[in-house]
Short mmCIF file of all heavy atoms in Angstrom, two decimals:
data_model
loop_
_atom_site.label_atom_id
_atom_site.label_comp_id
_atom_site.label_asym_id
_atom_site.label_seq_id
_atom_site.Cartn_x
_atom_site.Cartn_y
_atom_site.Cartn_z
N ALA A 3 -5.38 23.10 6.40
CA ALA A 3 -5.90 23.49 5.10
C ALA A 3 -7.27 22.89 4.84
O ALA A 3 -7.71 22.81 3.71
CB ALA A 3 -4.92 23.05 4.02
N ILE A 41 -10.74 13.44 -4.16
CA ILE A 41 -11.51 12.72 -5.20
C ILE A 41 -12.90 12.38 -4.69
O ILE A 41 -13.91 12.58 -5.37
CB ILE A 41 -10.75 11.45 -5.65
CG1 ILE A 41 -9.53 11.84 -6.48
CG2 ILE A 41 -11.67 10.52 -6.44
CD1 ILE A 41 -8.59 10.68 -6.78
N ARG A 43 -14.59 13.81 -2.33
CA ARG A 43 -15.43 15.01 -2.16
C ARG A 43 -16.08 15.41 -3.48
O ARG A 43 -17.22 15.86 -3.51
CB ARG A 43 -14.60 16.19 -1.65
CG ARG A 43 -14.43 16.24 -0.15
CD ARG A 43 -14.46 17.67 0.40
NE ARG A 43 -13.76 18.64 -0.42
CZ ARG A 43 -12.44 18.81 -0.45
NH1 ARG A 43 -11.65 18.09 0.35
NH2 ARG A 43 -11.90 19.71 -1.22
N ARG A 49 -14.74 4.63 -6.95
CA ARG A 49 -13.87 3.57 -6.43
C ARG A 49 -12.44 3.93 -6.82
O ARG A 49 -12.16 4.16 -8.00
CB ARG A 49 -14.26 2.22 -7.04
CG ARG A 49 -15.49 1.59 -6.36
CD ARG A 49 -15.94 0.36 -7.10
NE ARG A 49 -16.37 0.72 -8.44
CZ ARG A 49 -16.47 -0.13 -9.46
NH1 ARG A 49 -16.14 -1.40 -9.28
NH2 ARG A 49 -16.87 0.28 -10.65
N VAL A 90 6.85 20.61 -9.91
CA VAL A 90 5.69 21.30 -9.36
C VAL A 90 6.06 22.73 -9.00
O VAL A 90 7.12 22.99 -8.43
CB VAL A 90 5.11 20.55 -8.13
CG1 VAL A 90 6.09 20.51 -6.97
CG2 VAL A 90 3.79 21.15 -7.70
N PHE A 132 -10.77 23.81 -13.21
CA PHE A 132 -10.53 22.66 -12.38
C PHE A 132 -9.77 22.99 -11.10
O PHE A 132 -9.67 22.20 -10.20
CB PHE A 132 -9.72 21.61 -13.15
CG PHE A 132 -10.59 20.83 -14.07
CD1 PHE A 132 -10.43 20.91 -15.43
CD2 PHE A 132 -11.58 20.02 -13.56
CE1 PHE A 132 -11.24 20.18 -16.28
CE2 PHE A 132 -12.38 19.28 -14.40
CZ PHE A 132 -12.21 19.36 -15.76
N SER A 139 -1.91 25.21 -4.08
CA SER A 139 -0.58 25.31 -3.48
C SER A 139 0.47 25.29 -4.59
O SER A 139 0.19 24.91 -5.72
CB SER A 139 -0.34 24.15 -2.53
OG SER A 139 -0.35 22.93 -3.25
N ARG A 145 -3.05 17.16 -4.98
CA ARG A 145 -4.27 17.41 -4.20
C ARG A 145 -5.11 18.53 -4.80
O ARG A 145 -6.33 18.44 -4.85
CB ARG A 145 -3.85 17.81 -2.78
CG ARG A 145 -5.02 18.14 -1.85
CD ARG A 145 -4.53 18.76 -0.55
NE ARG A 145 -3.95 20.08 -0.78
CZ ARG A 145 -3.29 20.80 0.13
NH1 ARG A 145 -3.10 20.31 1.34
NH2 ARG A 145 -2.81 21.98 -0.17
N PHE A 148 -4.67 17.92 -9.85
CA PHE A 148 -4.89 16.66 -10.56
C PHE A 148 -6.08 15.88 -9.99
O PHE A 148 -6.89 15.34 -10.74
CB PHE A 148 -3.63 15.80 -10.52
CG PHE A 148 -2.43 16.46 -11.12
CD1 PHE A 148 -1.27 16.68 -10.39
CD2 PHE A 148 -2.45 16.89 -12.45
CE1 PHE A 148 -0.17 17.30 -10.95
CE2 PHE A 148 -1.35 17.51 -13.03
CZ PHE A 148 -0.19 17.72 -12.27
N LEU A 155 -13.62 14.59 -14.34
CA LEU A 155 -13.60 13.85 -15.60
C LEU A 155 -14.27 12.49 -15.42
O LEU A 155 -15.00 12.01 -16.29
CB LEU A 155 -12.17 13.68 -16.10
CG LEU A 155 -11.54 14.97 -16.66
CD1 LEU A 155 -10.03 14.86 -16.70
CD2 LEU A 155 -12.09 15.26 -18.06
N VAL A 172 5.56 16.83 -23.44
CA VAL A 172 6.94 16.41 -23.17
C VAL A 172 7.01 14.89 -23.27
O VAL A 172 6.21 14.18 -22.66
CB VAL A 172 7.38 16.87 -21.76
CG1 VAL A 172 8.73 16.27 -21.39
CG2 VAL A 172 7.42 18.40 -21.69
N HIS A 187 20.17 -3.23 -30.74
CA HIS A 187 20.84 -2.45 -29.72
C HIS A 187 19.80 -1.87 -28.78
O HIS A 187 19.06 -0.96 -29.15
CB HIS A 187 21.67 -1.32 -30.34
CG HIS A 187 22.70 -1.82 -31.30
ND1 HIS A 187 24.01 -2.01 -30.96
CD2 HIS A 187 22.59 -2.21 -32.59
CE1 HIS A 187 24.68 -2.47 -32.00
NE2 HIS A 187 23.83 -2.60 -33.01
N ASN A 198 14.64 -8.28 -11.65
CA ASN A 198 14.62 -8.62 -13.07
C ASN A 198 14.89 -7.37 -13.90
O ASN A 198 14.42 -6.29 -13.57
CB ASN A 198 13.25 -9.19 -13.46
CG ASN A 198 12.92 -10.47 -12.70
OD1 ASN A 198 13.77 -11.35 -12.55
ND2 ASN A 198 11.69 -10.56 -12.20
N SER A 202 14.60 -2.75 -23.52
CA SER A 202 13.81 -2.11 -24.56
C SER A 202 13.67 -2.98 -25.81
O SER A 202 13.08 -2.56 -26.80
CB SER A 202 14.45 -0.78 -24.94
OG SER A 202 15.80 -0.99 -25.33
N LEU A 219 25.91 -8.64 -22.77
CA LEU A 219 25.77 -7.68 -21.66
C LEU A 219 27.09 -6.93 -21.47
O LEU A 219 28.14 -7.38 -21.94
CB LEU A 219 25.42 -8.43 -20.37
CG LEU A 219 24.15 -9.28 -20.44
CD1 LEU A 219 23.96 -10.06 -19.15
CD2 LEU A 219 22.94 -8.39 -20.71
N ASN A 222 31.49 -7.84 -21.46
CA ASN A 222 31.72 -9.02 -22.29
C ASN A 222 31.06 -10.29 -21.80
O ASN A 222 31.52 -11.39 -22.05
CB ASN A 222 33.22 -9.28 -22.44
CG ASN A 222 33.82 -8.38 -23.51
OD1 ASN A 222 33.15 -8.10 -24.50
ND2 ASN A 222 35.04 -7.93 -23.27
N ARG A 230 12.11 -19.92 -21.71
CA ARG A 230 10.69 -19.66 -21.87
C ARG A 230 10.12 -19.03 -20.59
O ARG A 230 9.21 -18.23 -20.62
CB ARG A 230 9.96 -20.98 -22.17
CG ARG A 230 8.57 -20.84 -22.78
CD ARG A 230 7.92 -22.20 -22.92
NE ARG A 230 7.95 -22.92 -21.67
CZ ARG A 230 7.05 -22.75 -20.67
NH1 ARG A 230 6.07 -21.90 -20.81
NH2 ARG A 230 7.17 -23.43 -19.54
N ALA A 253 17.00 -12.28 -16.26
CA ALA A 253 16.57 -12.68 -14.92
C ALA A 253 17.47 -13.77 -14.37
O ALA A 253 18.23 -14.39 -15.13
CB ALA A 253 15.12 -13.18 -14.96
N ARG A 255 16.99 -17.04 -11.70
CA ARG A 255 16.00 -17.79 -10.92
C ARG A 255 16.24 -17.62 -9.43
O ARG A 255 17.36 -17.81 -8.94
CB ARG A 255 16.11 -19.26 -11.32
CG ARG A 255 15.09 -20.12 -10.63
CD ARG A 255 15.17 -21.54 -11.15
NE ARG A 255 14.24 -22.39 -10.41
CZ ARG A 255 14.00 -23.63 -10.72
NH1 ARG A 255 14.62 -24.20 -11.74
NH2 ARG A 255 13.15 -24.34 -10.01
N ALA A 259 18.77 -10.44 -10.66
CA ALA A 259 19.73 -10.30 -11.76
C ALA A 259 20.47 -8.96 -11.65
O ALA A 259 21.65 -8.87 -11.96
CB ALA A 259 19.01 -10.40 -13.11
#
Side-chain angles (χ1 to χ4, degrees):
Chain A
I41 288 170
R43 275 217 320 281
R49 281 173 297 160
V90 64
F132 281 115
S139 64
R145 179 190 68 189
F148 302 121
L155 287 161
V172 172
H187 301 262
N198 298 316
S202 56
L219 303 175
N222 279 325
R230 198 185 53 82
R255 183 175 176 174

